[in-house]
Amino acid sequence: MRDLIHGVRLLADGQRWALRHGRDWRFGMVPALLTLVGYAAALVVLALWGADFVDWATPFADHWASPWPGLFRGLLTALLFGGGLLLALISFTAVTLLVGQPFYEALAERVDRAEGHAPEPQERSLWRELWISAVDSLYVLVRVAAFGLVLFAAGFLPFVGQTVVPAIGFCVSGFFLALELSAVAFQRRDVPMAVRIRLLRHRLLLVLGFGVPLVLAFLVPFVAVVLMPGAVAGATLLARELSPPRPRPGAADGPETGPEPPDGDGPGTTGPRAGGGTEPGGGQAGLGGAARAG
């Protein structure tokens, strides 16, 4: 339960950080606003010309007896628009992060520097960063779609489909939203996707405390635009909390939390420490930095 509350606190810390750094907040809203405008334009086109597209795609229905052609095409038009709207909701964060890669990379770097122990920047070109971000986003979207199909089918179960399945759906969405938003900070630390997923699973309640409230807020598109910079800042704090400790020069004598082998290797370098203890550049130090950054 403590991790769940801590996750909500990380989300609030990220929003406070963005609000107290107004320039970064406005800077971080630009990609989300561009994505929202693009999706809105696409949905308007779909609403205006979706019926014409369905008529063109179903010439075989012209010979059906009335009223079946109208009912059939009306149903397909509604499904087409509903599917477009659902795709927009599912992919909004991934597309925003892809469009805003340079914006959010700079924002995550500022959060890291404000908190201390910022990772060294990776020597990659912008196109390489965009490619990695696109591949990671596609990986997440495929998994979200797979979970969505399973949950959609489970939704037809009596009672369970109307109570348990929606709750699980929000938890799954919260997990993957946290995974997407923390991608920028993890990418700065050169943490591969498979390791990110293990780190998030290890502190599942922490991740759900961060992601589920954000999913509920992101159901309103304009709210998603306003909260996106703070969400990225909070996800950076989350990544600092979960990232394995990085060896630092002069740390051969061992960190303050206890002795380690002289070369700095050990169980603590391959995953989060048991109990989510403090780490150099992350953990509780990150939260303390969040308060100081404010």
Side-chain angles (χ1 to χ4, degrees):
M1 194 64 182
R2 182 183 301 173
D3 262 359
L4 194 66
I5 297 172
H6 187 33
V8 176
R9 188 177 297 123
L10 284 176
L11 176 59
D13 286 343
Q15 297 300 326
R16 279 197 295 269
W17 193 97
L19 288 175
R20 290 172 180 174
H21 297 77
R23 187 164 176 263
D24 292 323
W25 178 56
R26 293 188 295 271
F27 181 74
M29 279 198 297
V30 172
L33 190 58
L34 291 175
T35 305
L36 180 63
V37 170
Y39 273 146
L43 289 173
V44 168
V45 169
L46 202 58
L48 293 177
W49 288 285
D52 294 336
F53 174 77
V54 170
D55 290 345
W56 171 82
T58 58
F60 54 86
D62 291 339
H63 308 291
W64 293 1
S66 180
W68 299 115
L71 292 175
F72 176 69
R73 286 169 171 164
L75 176 62
L76 288 183
T77 302
L79 289 175
L80 180 64
F81 184 81
L85 182 60
L86 180 62
L87 180 63
L89 291 174
I90 291 174
S91 62
F92 179 83
T93 303
V95 173
T96 300
L97 291 175
L98 183 61
V99 171
Q101 176 69 26
F103 293 82
Y104 296 131
E105 172 71 21
L107 195 152
E109 181 179 358
R110 288 187 181 112
V111 173
D112 269 328
R113 292 191 182 281
E115 299 302 298
H117 305 301
E120 293 297 325
Q122 300 295 324
E123 296 296 331
R124 299 193 189 102
S125 66
L126 175 60
W127 292 111
R128 177 63 177 166
E129 294 280 358
L130 290 175
W131 171 253
I132 294 174
S133 180
V135 171
D136 288 349
S137 295
L138 182 61
Y139 179 90
V140 172
L141 285 176
V142 168
R143 289 202 164 205
V144 169
F147 274 101
L149 289 175
V150 173
L151 292 172
F152 176 77
F156 292 99
L157 296 174
F159 182 72
V160 175
Q162 293 74 47
T163 55
V164 178
V165 171
I168 294 176
F170 279 116
C171 290
V172 170
S173 299
F175 178 89
F176 283 110
L177 181 59
L179 180 63
E180 284 184 296
L181 289 170
S182 60
V184 176
F186 278 127
Q187 194 171 314
R188 282 174 46 77
R189 290 161 172 78
D190 207 22
V191 179
M193 177 61 75
V195 177
R196 297 176 205 171
I197 292 176
R198 286 203 302 270
L199 291 172
L200 266 64
R201 283 178 178 169
H202 184 80
R203 302 282 298 281
L204 186 58
L205 287 179
L206 175 71
V207 174
L208 294 182
F210 177 87
V212 172
L214 206 52
V215 166
L216 296 173
F218 274 21
L219 291 176
V220 183
F222 184 73
V223 172
V225 173
V226 175
L227 295 184
M228 183 62 77
V232 173
T236 303
L237 298 176
L238 178 69
R240 291 170 61 87
E241 178 88 8
L242 298 177
S243 293
R246 301 171 63 89
R248 289 183 293 165
D253 295 332
E256 295 179 0
T257 53
E260 288 187 3
D263 59 358
D265 293 329
T269 62
T270 58
R273 300 186 181 185
T278 57
E279 301 170 354
Q284 301 298 329
L287 277 183
R292 292 193 300 274

